[in-house]
């Protein structure tokens, strides 16, 4: 009995020591770096590609990169990142050569947006968005805009705030999160006259599914439809005060948007307005730049996916419930 305890104690001691060594190694090693293999990449901007890129950048990137101090894309603290991940800042992505992306080539930008690998080889953890499924033309449009002379991306020499990356982020970057492969073939734009096809493209590439499925941890970024609870909601996202705001069920089930009209959906997505209820809250941001046709296409696609039964209650603080 005593002997058993002793051996058990030794085994436990060995496990603890190994775990500590592993922990120190990961903490020291930090976020891993990868080889950078940038293919030939030509940027041929046109006024159309810059305009398209502006809309995509404002819709997809500005939420994280816009700095409340400058009003420009000089970076900000990610207040809604879970505390275990550390204190995270997005970076200056204006055309400043010192702190921004002025010295990044279009190919380096494409490579980061596709794979998550920065030009120095360092991996950008999942709190920086990646676009593994976006059409080549749309990625090209975003880069055209970032490299354009639009005032929103004009160089501002504001230093980046370094993130204090937590142990959990380092651990997951070493054992779970990996860069995405560069797509082997060109990804074509969806047929925009086919509403369901366009809606699927937008629902995946504007990241609707990533918030609106069961949990960020169980999302499948290369095959979004394989994400756990695909569009069934309940993902416990955080607002800027660190409070949980569960995402809504957007499947065609009575507990989702089964009895919504297209007009109600467009109003909610573009303006955050829900009849008889307080406005939709952060991190759901109004998609004001999308056209009614685009949001209608997302609605049409959502009508075709498997219904999920999941009643997500909107919980309000009293102060919020009184507003409106
Ligand atoms: C959810 C928040 C979020 C979104 C959305 C986001 N980013 Fe980022 N971005 C970050 C964070 C955080 C970093 C810093 C990553 C790091 O420290 O590894 C970053 C880093 C970058 C960098 C590297 C800058 C440097 O100097 O190292 C570029 C370029 C960039 N983002 C461009 C974009 C573009 C373009 C988009 C839109 C398609 C975008 N980001 C969307 C949060 C975000
Ligand atoms: C960053 C996470 C996030 C992203 C990205 C996101 N949503 Fe949401 N969405 C939420 C949250 C959280 C709520 C619940 C807000 C509340 O309860 O106030 C919500 C609510 C909604 C609602 C209201 C549904 C209801 O039953 O109340 C609709 C409609 C919606 N989102 C559509 C979309 C569409 C379409 C997209 C993509 C274009 C999208 N969302 C992207 C987080 C997100």
């Amino acid at each position: 009995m005593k002997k058993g305890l002793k051996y058990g104690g030794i085994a436990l001691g060995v496990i603890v020591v190994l775990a500590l060594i592993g922990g120190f190694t990961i903490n020291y090693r930090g976020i891993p770096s990868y080889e950078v293999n940038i293919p030939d990449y030509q940027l041929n901007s046109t006024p159309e590609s810059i305009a398209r890129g502006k809309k995509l950048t404002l819709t997809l990137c500005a939420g994280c990169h816009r700095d409340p101090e400058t009003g420009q894309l000089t970076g900000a603290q990610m207040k809604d990142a879970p505390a275990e991940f550390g204190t995270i800042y997005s970076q200056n992505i204006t055309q400043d050569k010192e702190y921004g992306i002025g010295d990044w080539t279009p190919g380096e930008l494409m490579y980061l947006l596709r794979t998550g690998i920065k030009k120095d080889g360092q991996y950008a953890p999942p709190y920086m968005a990646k676009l593994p499924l976006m059409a080549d033309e749309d990625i090209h449009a975003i880069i055209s805009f970032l490299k354009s002379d639009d005032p929103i991306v004009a160089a501002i020499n504001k230093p980046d705030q370094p993130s204090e990356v937590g142990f959990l982020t380092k651990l997951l970057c070493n054992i779970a999160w990996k860069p995405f492969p560069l797509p082997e073939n060109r990804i074509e734009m969806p047929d925009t006259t086919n509403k369901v096809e366009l809606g699927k493209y937008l629902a995946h590439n504007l990241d609707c599914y990533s918030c609106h499925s069961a949990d960020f941890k169980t999302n499948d970024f290369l095959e979004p439809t394989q994400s756990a609870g695909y569009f069934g909601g309940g993902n416990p996202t955080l607002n800027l005060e660190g409070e949980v705001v569960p995402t809504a069920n957007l499947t065609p089930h009575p507990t989702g948007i089964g009895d919504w009209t297209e007009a109600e959906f467009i109003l909610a997505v573009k303006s955050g307005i829900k009849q008889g209820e307080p406005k939709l809250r952060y991190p759901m941001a109004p998609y004001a730049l999308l056209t009614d046709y685009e949001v209608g296409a997302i609605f049409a696609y959502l009508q075709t996916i498997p219904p999920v039964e999941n009643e997500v209650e909107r919980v309000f603080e009293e102060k919020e419930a009184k507003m409106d």
Side-chain angles (χ1 to χ4, degrees), residues 243 278-279 281 315-324:
E243 298 156 350
K279 281 196 130 191
R281 297 160 298 174
V315 190
F316 298 107
E317 297 280 333
E318 241 172 68
K319 57 177 169 59
E320 274 183 275
K322 276 197 202 119
M323 278 162 38
D324 226 4

Side-chain angles (χ1 to χ4, degrees), residues 60-61 64-65 78 88-93 99-101 104 109 112-113 118 123-125 127-129 131 142 146 160 163:
L60 269 177
C61 323
C64 287
H65 282 276
M78 309 277 86
I88 309 299
Y89 294 87
S90 68
Q91 309 291 303
N92 184 337
I93 59 167
Y99 301 114
I101 53 155
W104 287 56
L109 287 168
L112 168 66
L113 293 177
K118 292 187 258 189
Y123 171 62
Y127 41 70
M128 158 61 193
L131 311 170
I142 291 175
L146 293 176
D160 289 320
S163 296

Side-chain angles (χ1 to χ4, degrees), residues 25-201:
T25 312
I26 284 169
N27 212 12
Y28 176 74
R29 188 173 167 220
I31 294 177
S33 287
Y34 293 87
E35 217 178 299
V36 183
N37 281 315
I38 297 165
D40 271 346
Y41 192 79
Q42 294 303 322
L43 190 65
N44 304 309
S45 302
T46 60
E48 291 74 34
S49 71
I50 292 172
R52 170 85 183 162
K54 182 170 184 172
K55 170 168 161 168
L56 288 169
T57 305
L58 292 178
T59 303
L60 269 177
C61 323
C64 287
H65 282 276
R66 183 178 277 135
D67 180 348
E69 249 173 52
T70 59
Q72 309 285 356
L73 305 183
T74 45
Q77 187 183 344
M78 309 277 86
K79 293 208 173 111
D80 52 352
E84 310 87 82
F85 288 165
T87 310
I88 309 299
Y89 294 87
S90 68
Q91 309 291 303
N92 184 337
I93 59 167
T94 70
Q95 295 199 46
D96 185 63
K97 285 212 159 52
E98 191 174 2
Y99 301 114
I101 53 155
D103 61 346
W104 287 56
T105 64
E108 287 166 344
L109 287 168
M110 179 279 294
Y111 199 72
L112 168 66
L113 293 177
R114 283 291 195 206
T115 66
I117 303 172
K118 292 187 258 189
K119 66 181 184 136
D120 62 2
Q122 219 194 32
Y123 171 62
Y127 41 70
M128 158 61 193
K130 277 127 221 161
L131 311 170
L133 304 176
M134 186 172 270
D136 286 50
E137 199 178 318
D138 272 349
I139 297 254
H140 183 267
I142 291 175
I143 299 167
S144 297
F145 173 67
L146 293 176
K147 290 280 179 188
S148 74
D149 54 13
D150 192 286
I152 296 178
V153 289
I156 296 185
N157 191 246
K158 184 176 173 188
D160 289 320
Q161 289 257 36
S163 296
E164 289 154 34
V165 181
F167 177 70
L168 184 65
T169 304
K170 293 180 190 167
L171 178 70
L172 290 174
C173 285
N174 277 282
I175 62 171
W177 298 330
K178 293 282 168 288
F180 297 128
L182 265 192
E184 282 175 21
N185 300 309
R186 199 182 147 76
I187 304 179
E188 296 297 339
M189 289 288 277
D191 172 2
T192 50
T193 63
N194 179 331
K195 256 189 148 177
V196 172
E197 204 187 298
L198 172 64
K200 180 177 185 180
Y201 177 80

Side-chain angles (χ1 to χ4, degrees), residues 232-294:
N235 183 1
T237 59
L238 299 180
N239 66 13
L240 296 174
E241 284 78 46
E243 298 156 350
V244 171
V245 182
T247 61
N249 179 346
L250 300 185
T251 68
H253 186 272
T255 58
I257 56 164
D259 53 7
W260 284 45
T261 63
E262 185 190 59
E264 285 169 330
F265 187 79
I266 293 174
L267 190 67
V269 174
K270 289 184 63 176
S271 316
I273 293 171
K274 244 185 117 175
Q275 260 357 298
E277 283 187 31
K279 281 196 130 191
L280 298 179
R281 297 160 298 174
Y282 187 93
M284 177 68 197
Y287 286 82
L289 296 178
L290 298 183
T291 63
D292 287 5
Y293 182 78
E294 287 168 322

